[in-house]
């Protein structure tokens, strides 16, 4: 029995590490594909959020990795999308002040690229944070943006 437990523990740790490395490799791969920004975001979002629980250290690690990969592409939409995802992470972590910082960074980037869909999503994120903080809601600002698309 003494030998079985260490072997089992080794197997569990090894398989967890392989699983994590596969997720990291998949995330890196999405940045090498010739995809539209929306499709890339959809794949990355699915990869990150479908495998990690909200506000976990693993999720934060993957989001930070996504942000660093986006910076390397020098694509303002990818960087802004990563900022928006980090805003969602911090809102789920009950850190509203940091969530707002990331949502506003995302909004600024999306405004610079005139990405109206993501501008609307950024305003909705900002509105959700303010609503959670029981402050004035800014979600009404998304309506003109949504209808201008």
């Amino acid at each position: 029995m003494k030998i079985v437990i260490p072997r089992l523990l080794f197997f569990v740790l090894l398989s967890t590490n392989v699983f994590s490395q596969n997720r990291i490799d998949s995330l890196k791969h999405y940045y090498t594909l010739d995809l539209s920004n929306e499709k890339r975001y959809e794949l990355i979002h699915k990869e990150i959020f479908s495998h990690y629980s909200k506000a976990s250290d693993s999720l934060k690690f993957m989001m930070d990795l996504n942000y660093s990969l986006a910076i390397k592409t020098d694509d303002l939409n990818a960087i802004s999308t990563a900022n928006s995802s980090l805003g969602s992470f911090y809102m789920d972590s009950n850190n509203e002040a940091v969530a707002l910082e990331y949502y506003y960074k995302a909004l600024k980037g999306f405004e610079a690229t005139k990405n109206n869909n993501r501008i609307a999503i950024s305003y909705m994120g900002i509105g959700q944070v303010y609503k959670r903080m029981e402050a004035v809601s800014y979600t009404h600002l998304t309506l003109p943006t949504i209808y201008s698309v």
Side-chain angles (χ1 to χ4, degrees):
M1 188 67 174
K2 291 179 183 179
I3 295 174
V4 173
I5 292 175
R7 284 184 184 169
L8 180 61
L9 182 60
F10 174 76
F11 176 73
V12 168
L13 291 175
L14 179 65
S15 62
T16 302
N17 186 39
V18 168
F19 176 77
S20 298
Q21 187 60 49
N22 288 341
R23 297 283 168 236
I24 292 168
D25 291 342
S26 294
L27 189 62
K28 289 179 179 178
H29 178 68
Y30 293 138
Y31 280 94
T32 65
L33 299 175
D34 185 25
L35 300 170
S36 69
N37 289 329
E38 292 300 314
K39 186 63 177 171
R40 180 176 289 112
Y41 172 75
E42 179 185 322
L43 290 171
I44 289 170
H45 185 79
K46 186 183 290 186
E47 185 69 35
I48 292 175
F49 286 100
S50 64
H51 300 290
Y52 301 102
S53 60
K54 288 184 175 184
S56 69
D57 290 339
S58 298
L59 179 60
K60 177 69 167 79
F61 172 79
M62 292 299 284
M63 291 184 143
D64 287 339
L65 176 62
N66 181 42
Y67 181 79
S68 67
L69 291 169
I71 291 289
K72 288 179 183 179
T73 67
D74 202 29
D75 177 358
L76 192 52
N77 271 310
I79 295 166
S80 299
T81 298
N83 280 325
S84 182
S85 294
L86 283 162
S88 297
F89 172 82
Y90 282 108
M91 189 169 70
D92 289 341
S93 301
N94 297 318
N95 193 339
E96 287 84 5
V98 177
L100 280 175
E101 288 178 34
Y102 280 104
Y103 279 131
Y104 277 116
K105 285 181 187 178
L107 177 62
K108 184 177 176 183
F110 292 134
E111 287 175 338
T113 61
K114 298 180 179 19
N115 188 334
N116 289 334
N117 289 336
R118 296 290 173 197
I119 290 170
I121 291 170
S122 296
Y123 275 123
M124 290 192 60
I126 291 166
Q128 288 174 338
V129 173
Y130 279 118
K131 184 176 179 183
R132 181 179 282 185
M133 294 168 61
E134 296 181 4
V136 176
S137 175
Y138 290 95
T139 54
H140 67 281
L141 294 175
T142 62
L143 292 177
T145 305
I146 290 170
Y147 289 116
S148 68
V149 174

